[in-house]
Amino acid sequence: SAVISQKPSRDICQRGTSLTIQCQVDSQVTMMFWYRQQPGQSLTLIATANQGSEATYESGFVIDKFPISRPNLTFSTLTVSNMSPEDSSIYLCSVEAGGWNTGELFFGEGSRLTVL
Amino acid sequence: KQEVTQIPAALSVPEGENLVLNCSFTDSAIYNLQWFRQDPGKGLTSLLLIQSSQREQTSGRLNASLDKSSGRSTLYIAASQPGDSATYLCAPYCMNYGGSQGNLIFGKGTKLSVKP
């Protein structure tokens, strides 16, 4: 398993500003994932971040809006840029850490973002 | 396109009851399937992981089954307790979707309330 810490746990932001969410894992992992959960909805994958390479974004998500950094094997950041009220969501960091090739994913506590 | 449906959307039971949560998915080409628990405003806690070659997994009072050919999984909770109250999410890991090597596709969950 893995222990995943996210900061901030919650924030209230003004329209047009940007916020960076941090994700720290207690062990080295190859793949880190960022998900979004909009109010009343289920989770949607934003992007996959591998250390040393550009993040891979899913359909509907672009790097200019959600830039991601992955400087080492235990840390990643997601920035939500030029925020609008539609960006109000829980953003979750996830890693694959359940043992070799199991594909088991573990999640952080999430960062609840409210945009006014 | 993989679609995941969870039935019922909400369930309220008295303490002590055994209950079954249902999950169905449209594409059987999955790598594994995970069940998660999500408490209000929180991240996800991994409950059980079933590999595509397995039929079921058990952890304590929880038992999850998988019938990949029919696109179904069930989560059985024995002797339910008020502390089991949460939203339960089913997520098959699909190899054929997304820009990354794979993608967890989430259902909208079953919101469980166990009354004392």
Side-chain angles (χ1 to χ4, degrees):
Chain A
S1 65
V3 177
I4 304 167
S5 303
Q6 281 188 237
K7 292 182 181 180
S9 58
R10 59 178 60 226
D11 207 340
I12 300 174
C13 303
Q14 296 299 317
R15 181 195 300 258
T17 62
S18 299
L19 178 75
T20 296
I21 301 167
Q22 299 179 2
C23 177
Q24 179 76 50
V25 189
D26 68 341
S27 58
Q28 293 184 341
V29 294
T30 301
M31 300 178 71
M32 297 180 77
F33 307 90
W34 287 98
Y35 284 82
R36 180 177 74 180
Q37 186 176 31
Q38 295 177 300
Q41 301 299 313
S42 194
L43 281 77
T44 302
L45 180 66
I46 298 171
T48 302
N50 291 336
Q51 194 265 338
S53 63
E54 292 281 333
T56 303
Y57 289 83
E58 299 302 314
S59 176
F61 298 96
V62 295
I63 188 171
D64 290 345
K65 176 67 175 177
F66 298 101
I68 289 171
S69 77
R70 181 78 200 275
N72 57 52
L73 291 174
T74 63
F75 187 79
S76 178
T77 66
L78 169 75
T79 299
V80 186
S81 303
N82 188 25
M83 289 184 286
S84 67
E86 293 71 34
D87 294 319
S88 297
S89 299
I90 299 175
Y91 292 85
L92 297 112
C93 172
S94 173
V95 303
E96 186 175 322
W100 185 80
N101 215 29
T102 64
E104 186 172 9
L105 267 64
F106 295 86
F107 284 79
E109 285 290 302
S111 299
R112 179 184 288 272
L113 180 59
T114 302
V115 184
L116 303 178
Chain B
K1 178 183 176 183
Q2 178 75 282
E3 294 183 0
V4 180
T5 304
Q6 291 189 244
I7 295 174
L11 182 64
S12 182
V13 300
E15 181 177 5
E17 273 205 7
N18 302 324
L19 54 99
V20 175
L21 309 181
N22 296 291
C23 170
S24 62
F25 47 95
T26 55
D27 187 345
S28 62
I30 65 171
Y31 187 71
N32 62 36
L33 185 143
Q34 275 186 263
W35 282 92
F36 295 91
R37 163 188 178 134
Q38 185 175 31
D39 293 285
K42 298 291 187 179
L44 276 64
T45 300
S46 179
L47 297 174
L48 287 165
L49 168 73
I50 311 177
Q51 298 294 343
S52 61
S53 59
Q54 297 175 322
R55 298 284 294 183
E56 65 178 86
Q57 280 287 336
T58 298
S59 176
R61 294 182 295 108
L62 305 179
N63 176 276
S65 67
L66 174 64
D67 184 344
K68 198 174 74 164
S69 61
S70 67
R72 294 181 181 179
S73 179
T74 61
L75 179 67
Y76 176 83
I77 303 177
S80 58
Q81 303 171 357
D84 294 331
S85 298
T87 296
Y88 290 80
L89 298 168
C90 157
Y93 192 112
C94 306
M95 301 304 294
N96 300 324
Y97 299 96
S100 61
Q101 69 176 40
N103 193 357
L104 276 184
I105 306 295
F106 283 85
K108 290 190 174 183
T110 294
K111 186 174 183 179
L112 173 65
S113 176
V114 182
K115 306 295 187 183

